[in-house]
Amino acid sequence: MNVTGRKRTKEEPGRVLEELKNIVNRSPAVAFLWRAAEGWPVEFVSDNVRQFGYTPADFTSGRIFYARIIHPGDLERVTAEVSRYSREGRDEFVHEYRILTASGEVRWLDDRTWIRRDQNGTVTHYQGIVLDVTKRKRAEEALQKARAELERRVEERTAELARVNRTLNTLSECNQTVVRATEEQALLQEICRIITDVGGYPLAWIGSAEQDAARTVRPAAQAGSEAGFLETLGITWADTERGRVPTGTAIRSGQPRVAKDIRTDPGFAPWREEVVRRGYMSAIALPLRGGGRVFGALSIYASVPDAFHAEEVRLLMELADDLAFGITSLRERAARSRAERAQKESEERYRSLVELMPDAVVVHRDNIIVYVNPACVWIAGGKSPEDLVGKPLDRFIHPEDRDLVAERVRRMQQEGTSTPLSEQELLTFDGRVIWVEITGAPILYQGLPSTVVVFRDITDRKRAEERIREAEHRSAVLLGAIPDLMFVLSREGEYRDFQVPDVRLLALPPDEIIGKNIRDAGFSPESLDAILQMIRRAIDTRELQRVEYELAVPSGIRQFEARLLALNDREVLCIVRDIADQKRVEEALRRHTDDLIRLHRQLEASNREANLYLDILTHDIGNTENVANLYADLLIESLEGEEARYAEQLQRSIRKSIEILRTVSTIRLIHQASPELKPMDLDAVIRRAIEAFPGGTFHYEGTPYRVMADDLLSVVFNNLIGNAVRFGGPEVVVAVRTEEEDGSVVVTVADTGPGVPDDEKDAIFHRYEEQKRGVGEGLGLYLVQILAERYGGRVWVEDRIPGHPGEGATFRFTLGIAG
C-alpha cells in the first residue's frame, strides 16, 4: 500500500490554504470577517492589517472593535450605510471612508463587503476586503485644489482684462475727443466726463499748476463730484503738507503717483475724512507735460482700494500724455492763429497802403527789379507788374544819373541808412523822361538784402496838362488789365464810379449803374446789410474790410468777395473778385480732407482692436497655457495608469496650443516690422536646426555660404525639418544641401517620408489662408512662405523621386548671397 501518496494527499489542502494566506498577506488588500453586532467585533483579519499599525490579535481578542478605528467624522455615515444595505437585502456593497491607524494617522479605505445571512435571512456576519486608497484620494484632492486655483486665477485675469478693456475704451474715446477738439475748456470737461462715464471711475478732475507764490493747483475741469468739493481742498504743488497729495506730487515730480489706499496714505492726511466719506478709496495722479515742463495733472479716484494696476497705470499715463499733447496743440494753435491773424492784418494794412498809395514803390536787388506796386507800374508806363519785375534797374534811370544812383545804393547797403529826398529824371517803360521826388532805404525782401525806392512823379508841375492826359490814359489801361471789378461807393451805397473787365458780372446794366444804389442790384437782405455795415466800418475805422456774398448776374448766380477801403469820409473803394471757382475748389478739398480723416480714424481703430486681440492671444492666453502646462506636469507626476495617460494627452494638447501661439507671434512680428536683413552664417543656422532633433537621421555635408536674412531664418529650417521628422516617422531620413544658382543660394530639404500629392503641391503653402486644415495645421508652411518672400526669395515643393510623390518630398527655397 502506498502510504506516502496518501499522506501527501492529506497534507495538500493545508499547503494550498497556507499559500493563499501568504498571497493575501502580501497583497495591499486586508480581509476582514465582522460579526453583525454593535461595534462590529472582528472574528478574522488577515495578517497584512499590520500596514495600519495593528496586529490581528488586537481585533480577534476583542480588545479593539472595528468601529473604533473608523474616523469619528465618518462613523455615523458608515453605520447608516451598513444598516441601510442590510435592510435592503443586498448581498454586497462598496463604500469609502477614513480610518485611524494605530499611530493616529488618517487613511482612506475602499471597503468591498459581502453580507452573510442564516437560513432565516438574518444577517450574521460581514465579510469584506479593504484597500488603502489614501494616495488616490490625496491626488483627487490635489487635482480639485489645482482646478479651484486655476479657476480663481482665470477669474482674476478675466476681471483684470475687463478693467484693461474698460481703460482701453476710455483711452480710445479720449483720443477721439482730443483729435476733434477745437477749444481747451470743452476738451478738459469732455475728458473728465469720459473717464467717469466710460471708465466707471467716481471722480476725475484736471488741475492747472498755477505759477503764483503758493503754487496753487486750480481745478480746471471735473466730473463725478458735487460742485465746490474740489475748491474746498486747497491743493498745492509745493512741497508742503497740502502738496503731498498725489496731484501735487505728480506735478512736482513729473511722474505718476498712486495712492493704493486713501485710508492709510499719509499724503491724504489733511482731507482723509472728507474724501473717505465720499467713498473714494484709491487715487492716481498723472502729470500733464508740454513745452519741457509740467503744467498740470489729471487725477482719477476709485471706490475700491488698490484699483490701479500696472497695465492700467500704463494706459492711463498714455491717456494723460495724449491729453497733454492735445492741450499743448490747442494752445499752440490758438497762439499761432493770433499771431497769424495779427501778421495778416498787419500785412493787409501794409499791402493796402502800398498797393493803393499814389507814390511808386520799387524793390530791387543786385540791380534787378523784384517788386513794384500799381502806382509804380502806372508811373513807369507799364501795363502790369510783369512789365517791370525782372528788368534791370538801369533801364529806368537816365544815363546821366546811373553812376550817382549806383553810388547811393552801395552806400545805403554798407551804412544801412536811407537816402534823403531828392529829385531826378527817370525813364519810363515806354521811353519817356519824367521828373520824380525819390528816396530809398535798405530792407530785407523775401529774406534777402534789397533796396526799396519810393518816388513821386512831379512832372505835372512842369507839364501839368500832358501829365493829366497821360495819367488818365495809363489809369484806364491799368484798370482795364485788372481782372477784378472796382466800384466807388458812397456811405449810403450809391454807385459813384466803376471799372469791370466783363459786363456780364454786373447785376445792373452798365449804362444805368452810375447813380443807382446797391439796394437796386438784387442782393439778399443778409448780404445787403453786411455790405452796408462794411462800408460804414471801412470809413469809420480806415481799415480794410472784407465780405463774401452771392449775387445773380447775367452769367448766373456767382460768389464774390468784396474788399472795401475808405477813400475819404464819404466814399469807399470796393474791389470785387469772382470767387466761385475758388469756393468749389475749397469745398472739394474740405470733403476730401474729411474723407481722409474718417478713413484714418477707421484704420487706427481697426489696428488698435487687432493689436488688442493679438496681445490677449499671444500674451494672456499664452501665459494661461503655460500655467496649465505646469499643472499638467504635476498631474502626470501624481497620477498612475489611465488617469496619467489622460493627463499626458491633455499636456500634448496644451503644448500644441503653445506652439500655435508662438507661430502666431512670429507671424505678427514679421508683419509689424520692416525686414532688416544682415549677413547670416547659413551653415551655423542649419546645424543648430538639426541639433534640435537629436533622434533623427540626417545627411548634411556643410555649406560655405553667407546669406542675407535675419534671426528668423532658423524658423524656416525648424518647420521644414520638424515636418519631415513628425510626418515621416522614426525611420525617416532627412537630407539638407545647398547650391548656387543664378546669384542665389538654393537650399534643399528632402525626406523619405510619405511625400506630397501632386494636387496639393501648390495649395500646401496656402492651406492656412484657405482654412482647409485642422487645428494649427498649415501655419508652419505658411510661415516658411512669408519668411522666404521676406528674404526676397521663394519656396516650392517637388517629389524626392520625380514622378513618385509617395516616396518622399523635396522642399526648396532661395536666399540672396551676402556681398
Side-chain angles (χ1 to χ4, degrees), residues 127-373:
Q127 177 184 340
I129 296 174
V130 297
L131 181 66
D132 187 346
V133 293
T134 303
K135 290 183 178 180
R136 175 172 63 80
K137 296 295 286 188
R138 288 176 178 170
E140 290 174 351
E141 291 175 355
L143 179 61
Q144 184 63 29
K145 290 180 180 178
R147 183 180 294 111
E149 176 64 16
L150 182 59
E151 290 176 352
R152 183 187 64 80
R153 294 190 179 185
V154 168
E155 289 177 357
E156 289 179 352
R157 189 55 180 162
T158 300
E160 183 177 349
L161 286 175
R163 289 195 302 272
V164 171
N165 187 55
R166 181 188 64 196
T167 306
L168 283 171
N169 290 337
T170 304
L171 176 61
S172 174
E173 290 208 23
C174 287
N175 284 341
Q176 294 180 34
T177 300
V178 169
V179 169
R180 295 192 301 265
T182 57
E183 195 271 322
E184 180 178 335
Q185 185 58 41
L187 169 63
L188 301 184
Q189 192 59 47
E190 180 64 9
I191 291 295
C192 291
R193 186 199 64 78
I194 292 172
I195 292 173
T196 56
D197 291 357
V198 178
Y201 299 103
L203 171 62
W205 67 283
I206 297 171
S208 174
E210 300 297 300
Q211 300 299 319
D212 55 2
R215 295 188 172 184
T216 306
V217 178
R218 176 181 59 82
Q222 63 187 50
S225 71
E226 61 270 26
F229 166 61
L230 294 175
E231 287 77 0
T232 63
L233 299 182
I235 296 175
T236 176
W237 58 280
D239 191 9
T240 62
E241 182 184 32
R242 289 184 170 270
R244 298 189 182 102
V245 72
T247 302
T249 303
I251 294 174
R252 193 166 55 255
S253 67
Q255 298 296 324
R257 165 74 165 86
V258 178
K260 294 185 177 181
D261 193 335
I262 293 175
R263 296 170 299 184
T264 58
D265 192 290
F268 274 94
W271 313 279
R272 180 173 292 114
E273 182 179 351
E274 186 71 16
V275 173
V276 172
R277 185 176 65 82
R278 284 174 166 79
Y280 307 140
M281 293 299 173
S282 57
I284 184 172
L286 307 144
L288 299 176
R289 296 172 289 218
R293 67 182 186 89
V294 178
F295 59 82
L298 168 62
S299 300
I300 304 172
Y301 288 68
S303 57
V304 295
D306 197 15
F308 302 97
H309 298 171
E311 180 64 14
E312 198 165 356
V313 171
R314 185 187 68 79
L315 292 173
L316 291 174
M317 192 64 227
E318 182 179 344
L319 187 157
D321 289 342
D322 292 345
L323 173 59
F325 175 79
I327 294 172
T328 302
S329 298
L330 285 176
R331 291 178 179 178
E332 290 176 351
R333 189 186 311 167
R336 186 166 56 250
S337 178
R338 289 191 298 271
E340 290 174 352
R341 199 160 49 245
Q343 180 180 1
K344 189 173 184 180
E345 291 173 356
S346 175
E347 289 176 352
E348 289 294 339
R349 286 193 295 269
Y350 178 76
R351 180 170 293 277
S352 297
L353 176 64
V354 172
E355 294 287 324
L356 297 175
M357 67 186 296
D359 294 340
V361 178
V362 179
V363 178
H364 63 86
R365 181 189 312 124
D366 298 329
N367 202 44
I368 300 297
I369 297 174
V370 295
Y371 170 80
V372 293
N373 71 339

Side-chain angles (χ1 to χ4, degrees), residues 32 43 73 119 179-180 182 206 212 266 314 320 368 403 417 496 521 540 559 573 715 729 745 762 806 810 816:
F32 274 96
E43 292 188 357
Q119 58 185 2
V179 169
R180 295 192 301 265
T182 57
I206 297 171
D212 55 2
R314 185 187 68 79
I368 300 297
D403 291 341
T417 59
R496 297 285 178 86
D540 294 340
Q559 288 181 298
L573 173 64
V715 175
V745 175
D762 290 331
T810 296

